[in-house]
C-alpha cells in the first residue's frame, strides 16, 4: 500500500537500508574548493554535460553527505577533483591527495595532457594516487562530441597505468556515448594493449537511457580489465542489461557526489536523458512554487533502480554485495601493493 508522502528517511528505512550492505565503497566522488577555481565560472554557467550544484564541495561536506545518505553504514570513498578547464588542476590534485589520506579514502589524479610518463609516475607516487581521472573538457581544441578518447587519455597515462595497475576512470565523450564505434574501438584497443590498466567506464558509459548500453555492453563484455561504475544511472533496464552481459565482479557502485545529493531523477524522453530536480538549475527541468516536485536524492533513485533490476533478474542482496564494496576494495588494494 502506498502512502501519500515519504520522507527521505522513510525511503531509506523502508526500501534501501536492508538492501545495501553494511560496508559501501563509493567509487565516484568529486571534491574541490572555491580557491581552486580561476575566474569566469559559476553554477549558473553549468550545463547538462557538467551539471554542478555548489560552488565548492570540500571533503568535510563529502563525508557529511555520505553519512546522511547512508546512515549506519561504513563508507569508503574514491575521490577526485572538478573536471573543468577553469580549475587549477595542480592545487585540486594536491587537495584530493591530502583529503583522501585524511579520511582513509583513495584519490584519483586529473592528469595534465602534456605530462610525460616519468612526470606522471612521479605525480602518482607523490600524491599516493590510485589512478587517473581524465576528462573531455581538457581537450580544449575540440567540441565534446568531436573529442576522441585518444585525445583525453594519452599513451603516457596508459603506460604508467599499465606498469602500476592503476585505475583510469573514463567519462566517455561523443554524442553516441557507449554506442559510438570510435569510443568502443578506443576502449578495446587500450584494454588489449595495456592489460594491467583498470579501465573503469563511468556512468555505464553515460547509459542513462537504455540505447547506449544495448549497443556497447556486448562489445566490451569479454574484456576483463574493463569495469563499469553506476554513478547517476537510474534506469532499471540499464542495470538488467549490465547484470546480464557483464560479470558482477566488474561492476562498481558510485554516487557522483555532490550531484547525487541533489533531489530529483534522471529520466529519458525520446532517447535523450533529462535531469528533473526539485530545485531549479540551468541544466534541469523543475516546477516552480506550489507545483514544486516532491523528490528524493538522486543517490536513492540509483539504488532503487539497482534494487528493481536485481529483483527482476532474481539476484539477491548477497549476490550483489561485491558491487557495493568488495570489487572496488580489491582493485585499490592491488594498486597499493
Amino acid at each position: 500500500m502506498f502512502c501519500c508522502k515519504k520522507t527521505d528517511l522513510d525511503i531509506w528505512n523502508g526500501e534501501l537500508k536492508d538492501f545495501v550492505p553494511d560496508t559501501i565503497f563509493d567509487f565516484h566522488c568529486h571534491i574541490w574548493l572555491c580557491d581552486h577555481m580561476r575566474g569566469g565560472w559559476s553554477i549558473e554557467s553549468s550545463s547538462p554535460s557538467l551539471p554542478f550544484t555548489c560552488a565548492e564541495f570540500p571533503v568535510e561536506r563529502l563525508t557529511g553527505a555520505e553519512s546522511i545518505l547512508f546512515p549506519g553504514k561504513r563508507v569508503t570513498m574514491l575521490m577526485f577533483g572538478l573536471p573543468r578547464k577553469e580549475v587549477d588542476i595542480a592545487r585540486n590534485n594536491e587537495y584530493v591527495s591530502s583529503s583522501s589520506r585524511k579520511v582513509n579514502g583513495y584519490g584519483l589524479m586529473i592528469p595534465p595532457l602534456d605530462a610525460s610518463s616519468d612526470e606522471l609516475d612521479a605525480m602518482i607516487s607523490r600524491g599516493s594516487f590510485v589512478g587517473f581521472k581524465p576528462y573531455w573538457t581538457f581537450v580544449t581544441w575540440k567540441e565534446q562530441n568531436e573529442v576522441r578518447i585518444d585525445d583525453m587519455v594519452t599513451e603516457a597515462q596508459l603506460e604508467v597505468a599499465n606498469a602500476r595497475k592503476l585505475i583510469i576512470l573514463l567519462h566517455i565523450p561523443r554524442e553516441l556515448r557507449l554506442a559510438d564505434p570510435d569510443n568502443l574501438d578506443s576502449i578495446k584497443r587500450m584494454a588489449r594493449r595495456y592489460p594491467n590498466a583498470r579501465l573503469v567506464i563511468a556512468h555505464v558509459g553515460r547509459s542513462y537511457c537504455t540505447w547506449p548500453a544495448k549497443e556497447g555492453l556486448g562489445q566490451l563484455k569479454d574484456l576483463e580489465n574493463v569495469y563499469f561504475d553506476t554513478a547517476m544511472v537510474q534506469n532499471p533496464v540499464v542495470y538488467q542489461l549490465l547484470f546480464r552481459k557483464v560479470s558482477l565482479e566488474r561492476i562498481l557502485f558510485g554516487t557522483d557526489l555532490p550531484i547525487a545529493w541533489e533531489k530529483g531523477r534522471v529520466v529519458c524522453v525520446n532517447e535523450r536523458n533529462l535531469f528533473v530536480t526539485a530545485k531549479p538549475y540551468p541544466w534541469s527541468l523543475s516546477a516552480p512554487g506550489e507545483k514544486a516536485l516532491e523528490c528524493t536524492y538522486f543517490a536513492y533513485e540509483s539504488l532503487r533502480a539497482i534494487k528493481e533490476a536485481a529483483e527482476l533478474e532474481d539476484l539477491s542482496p548477497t549476490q550483489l554485495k561485491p558491487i557495493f564494496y568488495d570489487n572496488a576494495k580489491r582493485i585499490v588494494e592491488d594498486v597499493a601493493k
Side-chain angles (χ1 to χ4, degrees):
M1 182 176 181
F2 295 98
C3 63
C4 295
K5 183 177 180 179
K6 290 183 178 181
T7 67
D8 301 313
L9 192 58
D10 289 335
I11 292 168
W12 173 254
N13 288 329
E15 301 180 36
L16 302 174
K17 182 177 71 172
D18 294 336
F19 174 72
V20 176
D22 290 337
T23 54
I24 303 169
F25 200 124
D26 186 347
F27 206 81
H28 195 127
C29 307
H30 298 270
I31 57 171
W32 75 96
L33 301 177
C34 286
D35 290 348
H36 302 154
M37 304 299 297
R38 302 185 181 96
W41 178 84
S42 67
I43 296 173
E44 288 70 28
S45 69
S46 63
S47 67
S49 60
L50 285 169
F52 289 96
T53 59
C54 49
E56 68 175 4
F57 198 63
V59 69
E60 292 80 8
R61 287 186 68 189
L62 171 61
T63 56
E66 299 279 17
S67 66
I68 290 170
L69 289 171
F70 309 116
K73 308 295 185 179
R74 298 186 300 275
V75 184
T76 302
M77 294 155 288
L78 178 68
M79 59 196 74
F80 38 89
L82 184 69
R84 292 190 65 105
K85 60 180 179 292
E86 298 90 351
V87 172
D88 185 324
I89 294 175
R91 293 184 67 195
N92 201 182
N93 282 338
E94 289 173 6
Y95 181 67
V96 169
S97 173
S98 62
S99 297
S100 62
R101 292 168 177 170
K102 180 179 178 181
V103 300
N104 294 317
Y106 300 87
L108 297 180
M109 182 183 83
I110 295 176
L113 285 174
D114 59 353
S116 68
S117 56
D118 287 343
E119 289 169 332
L120 290 170
D121 192 72
M123 293 175 189
I124 288 288
S125 293
R126 187 164 58 248
S128 298
F129 295 108
V130 295
F132 300 119
K133 180 64 176 79
Y135 209 80
W136 64 266
T137 46
F138 301 110
V139 183
T140 56
W141 59 94
K142 289 185 178 181
E143 297 296 325
Q144 179 183 6
N145 290 334
E146 297 177 0
V147 174
R148 302 176 66 246
I149 290 176
D150 294 348
D151 293 325
M152 51 188 269
V153 182
T154 65
E155 292 299 314
Q157 293 171 33
L158 289 162
E159 290 169 4
V160 174
N162 192 61
R164 287 179 169 263
K165 299 182 180 180
L166 299 179
I167 297 157
I168 298 180
L169 182 59
L170 281 174
H171 179 110
I172 61 176
R174 307 177 73 82
E175 188 174 10
L176 293 181
R177 309 175 181 198
L178 196 63
D180 187 278
D182 190 87
N183 283 340
L184 291 167
D185 287 347
S186 292
I187 293 168
K188 286 185 277 191
R189 179 191 68 81
M190 292 188 301
R192 290 166 178 156
R193 185 172 178 182
Y194 300 97
N196 293 325
R198 278 65 178 273
L199 306 178
V200 180
I201 312 303
H203 317 289
V204 193
R206 295 169 64 215
S207 296
Y208 309 114
C209 303
T210 57
W211 57 267
K214 283 182 179 179
E215 180 66 28
L217 287 176
Q219 296 196 46
L220 304 177
K221 64 184 177 65
D222 296 325
L223 297 171
E224 294 183 359
N225 60 331
V226 175
Y227 300 76
F228 299 87
D229 90 25
T230 68
M232 286 294 289
V233 175
Q234 297 166 21
N235 188 320
V237 178
V238 172
Y239 287 114
Q240 285 187 272
L241 292 167
L242 188 63
F243 295 156
R244 290 178 187 181
K245 293 181 179 293
V246 176
S247 167
L248 293 179
E249 286 72 29
R250 290 163 50 203
I251 303 172
L252 305 158
F253 174 72
T255 61
D256 205 5
L257 282 166
I259 190 175
W261 203 10
E262 193 59 42
K263 293 188 175 183
R265 183 175 171 85
V266 182
V267 300
C268 291
V269 178
N270 199 24
E271 298 188 339
R272 178 185 175 190
N273 69 274
L274 302 171
F275 296 93
V276 177
T277 56
K279 180 180 177 181
Y281 286 98
W283 44 266
S284 71
L285 302 176
S286 60
E290 293 181 357
K291 295 182 180 180
L293 301 170
E294 293 179 1
C295 304
T296 191
Y297 302 112
F298 277 129
Y300 285 3
E301 293 293 359
S302 295
L303 287 170
R304 279 173 157 173
I306 294 171
K307 182 181 178 184
E308 183 177 352
E311 290 169 350
L312 291 169
E313 295 299 306
D314 198 26
L315 294 169
S316 69
T318 299
Q319 288 174 287
L320 290 185
K321 183 178 179 293
I323 77 173
F324 285 103
Y325 183 81
D326 300 341
N327 297 341
K329 189 66 172 177
R330 182 182 66 252
I331 292 171
V332 296
E333 285 186 342
D334 198 26
V335 171
K337 286 181 181 178

